[in-house]
Amino acid sequence: MAVSALELRPRGPVALMDAALRLCARDAGVWALTLPGGAAVVAALLHLLDAVEHGRSPTLPALYVTLAWFLRGVGQGAACHYVQEVLLGAKAEPSVRQSLRAALSRLPALFIAVAYLACFNVLTLTFTLGISLFLLSAQGVGYAVTMQGRGSPLKLYGLGARLLGPSRGTATAVRWLMSVQVLVFLNLHVGLNFLLYLGRQLVGIDLTFAERFASLDNPPWLVFLAATTFALFEPLRAATATLLLVDGRVRQEGLDLLAAVQQLPERSRQRGPLAAKGVAAAGLLLAGLLLAAPAPVQAAPEGATAPVDRQAVRARLVKVATACELPEQVEGPALRDLDALDARETVKLERFVRHLERLAYDDEDCETAAVTLEDGLAQVTATAEAQARADARAATDRARSILARPEFQERPEKAPDAPQEEVPPPEPGWWRRFIDRLGEWLRDFFKRHEPRPRSRETALPVSGGAAANAVVVVLVALTLAVLGVVLVSILRRKREASGPALEVRTVDAAALAGSPDHALSRPPEGWAHLADALAAKGEYREAVRNLYLALLSRLHRDGAIHYDETLSNWDYLRAFRGRPEVRAPFRELTRRFDFAWYGNVPVGADGYSEFRALTAPLLAAPPALEAAGA
């Protein structure tokens, strides 16, 4: 729903950001205008990155990125027009089609603004080492300024700074608040990885390649997250740009003050000086009669006059003074004296204000009203002082009457009481005497049968305490000895485990012969020779697979992994228990094999040579020694 510009007030950066968020949350029109351009930019960037990684020509993808960026500029201009219509438009329901039509009508200016802002941001960020990102903010309202059609689009930054005016500081603070995009970037990464984890654990889908792609060390994934975060903030950029321009207009033109001034009546200077002097004399005479004449006692029956609202009378007086451009007359102690008047004087003041309103509004003679107001306020001050003295005397008399009451008089001192004779307590009854006698008898009975300590003679050369200390020392020594034996046995087992490993086969020979793809069906050297033969034929993808099977066979025989056809390659890496220096090349070889075999990435002679060079040190490890007695 549109809001009149006269009802707007300046906003701070946090309040402006909150208003933009609420507008984007409740209005789908901003999203409909900005998301197509943002999605086009995301898709074009991913296409360009894919072309660069696979060695294709980046000319056509770069052209797609440029066209998507221009499409984004058109969407931003249409969204700024839509937000402005929502805030200040005459229609109740702005239309997305109307805003898009308005953007297309200003298409050349929008294209110039897109090119200007792109060059401006690149140059300023390059020459200021990124500092201008948080210092220069007028370019953020470029699309909103272009849609208003003010000035040349080649002077967009200066025009935006002039339209922002005092709101430039607010625009800089809003730009700082936009750094919340970093949190959205991290939340997108965590949320998408959590969905992959749920799909793997709950549904049982093999998402190994997707998990590898959604990693922070994968450049395409980082580009996707950054572009998606940028696209999600497109509606917020359009809303904040339009709100900043409206805020700058409110601060520059003072629309709230302009609305108050426009509601005042116009003054006229058509009366002559003689008429003005006559009205001034009449006003002085009437004001003197109203304020100086004593009020008759019981001039009207009680309740005949309606009570007068003192605050309303005071507001009317201030309004008359403001209308006649005399605000200094009603400042300072004058208003305090008005508040000090009682109800009877307030009635007189109301008649006086009514007379001033007639002079200012009906007669449009502010000069006479100014003289009358000055004399009347002087009379009000004198009346308030007299009333304060009367109130002080009344308060003093009331305080004296209160202090004259009997409860505030000094009390006579009491004579000291005569000493009273002590009254003996009454004798206890027969039940109390029986209970006391029973208690004494029980106390004497238990005292008489309490066992007395006897001195025991022992023939031992040492006391019982010394014997107990010796037993404790022996038990502690035995405990330490047992712990030492257990520790030595554990260390010996570890030393034996770190020695030559045994080759353990969990599959019999018949099963291995029937499964030629099983890694344990051949020794590592056999897989390596087969890989070299396939590479000589030009089948590099199959050769990489055979080399990886040779690596799995070697690691199984060394005891670093436990080969099982039901496990994935990354399960082997997570359960790896071999030498630490082998883990890093094993990870790299697993990544390259997944991209080549499962990702269908083309493998050439150079790719196979690099894979063979990384695998050679691991395959050249000394074979496992046979255990003694095997």
Side-chain angles (χ1 to χ4, degrees), residues 43 110 122 235 276 308 335 374 417 435 556 591 603 609-610 627:
L110 282 175
V122 170
V308 179
L335 293 181
E374 183 177 1
D417 297 336
I435 294 298
H556 177 81
R591 186 184 69 83
V603 181
S609 300
E610 294 179 2

Side-chain angles (χ1 to χ4, degrees), residues 41-326:
V41 171
V42 175
L45 283 177
L46 292 179
H47 183 52
L48 176 62
L49 186 63
D50 182 72
V52 172
E53 283 193 343
H54 291 84
R56 297 194 298 269
S57 175
T59 304
L60 192 59
L63 179 61
Y64 291 157
V65 172
T66 304
L67 294 178
W69 196 256
F70 277 100
L71 178 61
R72 177 218 171 231
V74 174
Q76 281 286 310
C80 292
H81 180 271
Y82 182 85
V83 174
Q84 185 172 1
E85 289 297 318
V86 170
L87 294 175
L88 307 176
K91 295 185 178 180
E93 292 294 335
S95 173
V96 174
R97 183 177 301 177
Q98 178 187 0
S99 299
L100 188 59
R101 191 180 299 113
L104 293 178
S105 65
R106 302 198 58 82
L107 197 60
L110 282 175
F111 282 175
I112 294 174
V114 170
Y116 177 89
L117 291 176
C119 297
F120 180 85
N121 289 325
V122 170
L123 292 177
T124 54
L125 289 176
T126 302
F127 289 108
T128 62
L129 301 179
I131 301 176
S132 63
L133 184 64
F134 300 103
L135 295 181
L136 302 179
S137 57
Q139 72 274 14
V141 298
Y143 295 110
V145 172
T146 304
M147 289 303 298
Q148 292 186 4
R150 299 185 180 181
S152 173
L154 296 177
K155 301 179 180 179
L156 198 57
Y157 184 83
L159 185 60
R162 182 168 59 83
L163 291 180
L164 283 175
S167 296
R168 287 195 296 270
T170 306
T172 304
V174 168
R175 201 170 184 85
W176 279 87
L177 291 176
M178 281 291 184
S179 59
V180 73
Q181 295 177 85
V182 179
L183 298 179
V184 177
F185 176 91
L186 297 176
N187 287 333
L188 279 177
H189 172 72
V190 174
L192 293 175
N193 276 273
F194 181 70
L195 291 178
L196 293 176
Y197 175 79
L198 289 181
R200 180 178 180 181
Q201 297 296 328
L202 300 181
V203 187
I205 306 175
D206 189 8
L207 299 173
T208 304
F209 187 76
E211 289 179 350
R212 180 65 193 93
F213 177 78
S215 177
L216 290 179
D217 58 353
N218 188 19
W221 176 249
L222 293 179
V223 173
F224 170 74
L225 287 180
T228 305
T229 305
F230 181 83
L232 289 177
F233 273 77
E234 286 290 87
L236 193 61
R237 289 188 185 90
T240 52
T242 308
L243 287 174
L244 281 171
L245 285 186
V246 174
D247 187 72
R249 180 185 170 192
V250 170
R251 293 176 185 270
Q252 285 181 338
E253 299 180 3
L255 296 181
D256 50 346
L257 180 59
L258 181 61
V261 172
Q262 288 177 352
Q263 294 175 1
L264 299 178
E266 297 182 358
R267 294 188 298 168
S268 175
R269 300 292 183 180
Q270 297 178 359
R271 294 182 178 271
L274 295 178
K277 291 182 180 180
V279 174
L284 287 175
L285 180 59
L286 182 59
L289 291 176
L290 290 175
L291 295 176
V297 180
Q298 295 181 353
E302 186 176 357
T305 303
V308 179
D309 188 359
R310 184 181 304 169
Q311 296 297 328
V313 174
R314 174 179 174 178
R316 288 166 54 191
L317 181 61
V318 173
K319 186 176 181 181
V320 172
T322 305
C324 291
E325 299 181 356
L326 300 170

Side-chain angles (χ1 to χ4, degrees), residues 612-625:
R612 189 72 171 86
L614 289 174
T615 314
L618 305 183
L619 297 179
L625 300 177

Side-chain angles (χ1 to χ4, degrees), residues 586-624:
F586 182 38
R587 177 190 295 274
E588 178 63 22
L589 289 170
T590 302
R591 186 184 69 83
R592 295 194 179 198
F593 171 71
D594 281 355
F595 275 99
W597 187 253
Y598 298 109
N600 292 324
V601 176
V603 181
D606 295 337
Y608 174 75
S609 300
E610 294 179 2
F611 199 90
R612 189 72 171 86
L614 289 174
T615 314
L618 305 183
L619 297 179

Side-chain angles (χ1 to χ4, degrees), residues 544-562:
V544 167
R545 178 176 177 273
N546 284 273
L547 275 181
Y548 192 76
L549 289 175
L551 176 63
L552 295 180
S553 178
R554 167 59 63 196
L555 294 178
H556 177 81
R557 283 168 168 76
D558 291 344
I561 64 172
H562 178 72

